[in-house]
Amino acid sequence: MGGQPGPTPTSESAAPPTAARKRGRVVAALMLGMALAALDGTIVSTAIPQIVGDLGGFSVFSWLFAGYLLAVTVTLPVYGKLSDTFGRKPVLISGIALFLIGSLLCAGAWGMASLIAFRIIQGFGGGAIQGTVQTIAADLYPLKERPKIQAKLSTVWAVSAVAGPGIGGLLAGYADWRWIFLINLPVGAVALYLIIRHFHEPVRVRTGPARVDWPGALAIFACGGLLLTALVQGGVAWPWLSAPSLACFAGSALLAAATVLIERRAAEPIIPGWVWQRRTIAAVNVALGALGLLMIAPTVFLPTYAQSVLGLGPIAAGFVLSVMTLSWPLSAALSSHVYSRIGFRQSAIIGIGCAALILLAFPFLPYPGSAWQPALIMFLLGGALGLFQLPLIVGVQSTVGRQERGTTTASVLFCRQVGQSIGAALFGAVANATLADRLADAPADISAGLPRHLDEVSNALDGDGLSAQAAAYLRRAVDTAVDHVFIGAAAAAVLALLALLVLAPKRFPVLPEESPAER
């Protein structure tokens, strides 16, 4: 049967009513837990002016996001291994509880430094939520039905992307910014109750005492933390070729080598060697890493394009991007009809191939254009990526047994997170280099006062200090910079395509379905 998912006699309609209801409640808990992580970034972003106005610390507020991202990313592999060793339920309960503790502490923060520290605690919980929710979803459903739960989880992310900024703005504007963290408490409490009450795992049979590779976990924390700090702060807090930047990269390289040595000698390594030795998992790791990289183009640079080039307001610019979150879950839900016929690999190849062409179409949009044109690009891109990502996640989870599924899921999510960090650094450098080059060639009569970095463009265009000619030149320069970023994103899509063509087997080695008792 290989990569062709076969029929299964188990279905939700055939399950006993009590079992179906319990599974439905567990799914509700998973969606609530995922909502905590999905809303976190979007709901906080719109409250930044109020947070900075109350606590100060404008120069370091970006660490509210960077610190959370660091914590989520470096803990994903650790939680994946822990869920395979001790079970999904204790890891998810611990993750939600830690996230809620972090939220409560954030609400009581007395300064920017304390808020950043408490956001890192939130991130430690968020890492457990993201990886474990995806793993439990695969445990609960047989292969034929997994697109249903994955589509529901994708919908949570889509709704969060659209609703998060609005909720954050309302709470910050009409209540207090601290409520954006307090609102997590009732949502998380309901999720915890449903998980504790209704989620039951099969008894785990161990041949010996459970072992945790704590030296490996600490090495992964240190290596990932230092590498992501270098990527997040490079070009922002210090130049890329400065001593701090080079020291961070050199230190992360040494720690990576130390991590490999530790993991090779460990009896139960956090990141086992088979994660990269098995062609299917290695190919999906690289492909989803490239997905994380290319996603920086629409999520980070499209809003700047919409506001600075098209002249849209923040809300309208957000809706241009949000159409992608409408087509993505729809495409993901329908992707099972494709991969059940042609296989996981071929479905993903079609999806990422279309995505590469769509991304390459962006630089050919007319200038000045209309808002519907990039919105159409985003709608098509969401459809293509839904056909790409979900078959890979479902497929790779189906090639391993329950005892390896947590580690495998965490591995691909970890690679996607690292890809996002690399993409933010790489494409930020591309955009700033292009913008600096265009502004350096600006006519002498308009060059005075023009910004030199992409993050200064919005303020320059919103102010009254630019002439009409200077503003037009600046908009054209931003258009060119964003075009170059989308070309880079298309190259990342090609990298994902090559990973599937070269590394992935033609048919994923899908394992036989587990019995309901085993699930």
Side-chain angles (χ1 to χ4, degrees), residues 71-98:
V72 169
T73 304
V74 300
T75 55
L76 273 169
V78 178
Y79 286 127
K81 182 62 177 180
L82 291 177
S83 74
D84 283 343
T85 303
F86 298 104
R88 326 291 189 216
K89 187 173 183 176
V91 172
L92 182 57
I93 290 174
S94 301
I96 295 176
L98 194 56

Side-chain angles (χ1 to χ4, degrees), residues 36-269:
L36 290 174
L39 276 171
D40 188 78
T42 57
I43 200 172
V44 172
S45 61
T46 51
I48 288 299
Q50 288 76 18
I51 294 174
V52 172
D54 188 15
L55 301 180
F58 180 81
S59 61
V60 294
F61 83 86
S62 63
W63 273 97
L64 291 176
F65 305 98
Y68 180 86
L69 175 66
L70 289 172
V72 169
T73 304
V74 300
T75 55
L76 273 169
V78 178
Y79 286 127
K81 182 62 177 180
L82 291 177
S83 74
D84 283 343
T85 303
F86 298 104
R88 326 291 189 216
K89 187 173 183 176
V91 172
L92 182 57
I93 290 174
S94 301
I96 295 176
L98 194 56
F99 187 93
L100 296 183
I101 291 171
S103 297
L104 187 60
L105 291 172
C106 285
W110 55 88
M112 186 60 73
S114 63
L115 183 58
I116 291 171
F118 298 149
R119 284 280 290 165
I120 292 174
I121 294 176
Q122 264 192 318
F124 288 147
I129 293 171
Q130 287 193 30
T132 312
V133 164
Q134 294 279 4
T135 306
I136 293 175
D139 290 342
L140 284 177
Y141 285 81
L143 175 57
K144 189 176 181 180
E145 297 181 23
R146 280 177 197 158
K148 295 180 182 178
I149 180 61
Q150 290 292 346
K152 291 177 181 178
L153 296 177
S154 297
T155 302
V156 170
W157 281 98
V159 172
S160 300
V162 176
I167 295 173
L170 287 173
L171 291 175
Y174 296 99
D176 187 276
W177 63 264
R178 298 177 191 274
W179 279 99
I180 66 177
F181 298 107
L182 292 175
I183 199 174
N184 292 331
L185 300 182
V187 177
V190 174
L192 275 176
Y193 169 77
L194 292 174
I195 289 293
I196 293 171
R197 179 71 178 82
H198 298 289
F199 180 46
H200 304 288
E201 295 186 277
V203 177
R204 292 173 174 266
V205 179
R206 294 196 185 99
T207 57
R211 299 179 180 179
V212 179
D213 177 24
W214 293 118
L218 291 175
I220 292 169
F221 283 156
C223 176
L226 199 57
L227 175 61
L228 292 177
T229 299
L231 293 172
V232 170
Q233 294 297 93
V236 179
W238 50 65
W240 284 108
L241 296 180
S242 65
S245 183
L246 295 176
C248 284
F249 281 116
S252 60
L254 292 175
L255 285 170
T259 302
V260 171
L261 292 176
I262 293 171
E263 294 296 85
R264 282 183 175 178
R265 297 176 180 178
E268 294 289 341

Side-chain angles (χ1 to χ4, degrees), residues 4 38 53 58 96 103 120 123 156 167 216 240 253 256 290 306 323 338 355 369 378 460 485 497 507 512 519:
Q4 300 283 3
F58 180 81
I96 295 176
S103 297
I120 292 174
V156 170
I167 295 173
W240 284 108
V323 295
V338 181
M378 291 302 101
V485 168
L497 179 62
R507 292 182 180 274
R519 282 201 301 273

Side-chain angles (χ1 to χ4, degrees), residues 347-396:
S347 300
I349 285 174
I350 293 172
I352 199 61
C354 291
L357 296 176
I358 293 166
L359 290 165
L360 279 177
F362 187 91
F364 293 97
L365 293 178
Y367 177 87
S370 301
W372 69 266
Q373 295 163 339
L376 177 61
I377 292 286
M378 291 302 101
F379 184 83
L380 295 175
L381 182 62
L385 294 179
L387 184 60
F388 165 71
Q389 178 180 258
L390 187 130
L392 290 184
I393 291 179
V394 173
V396 77

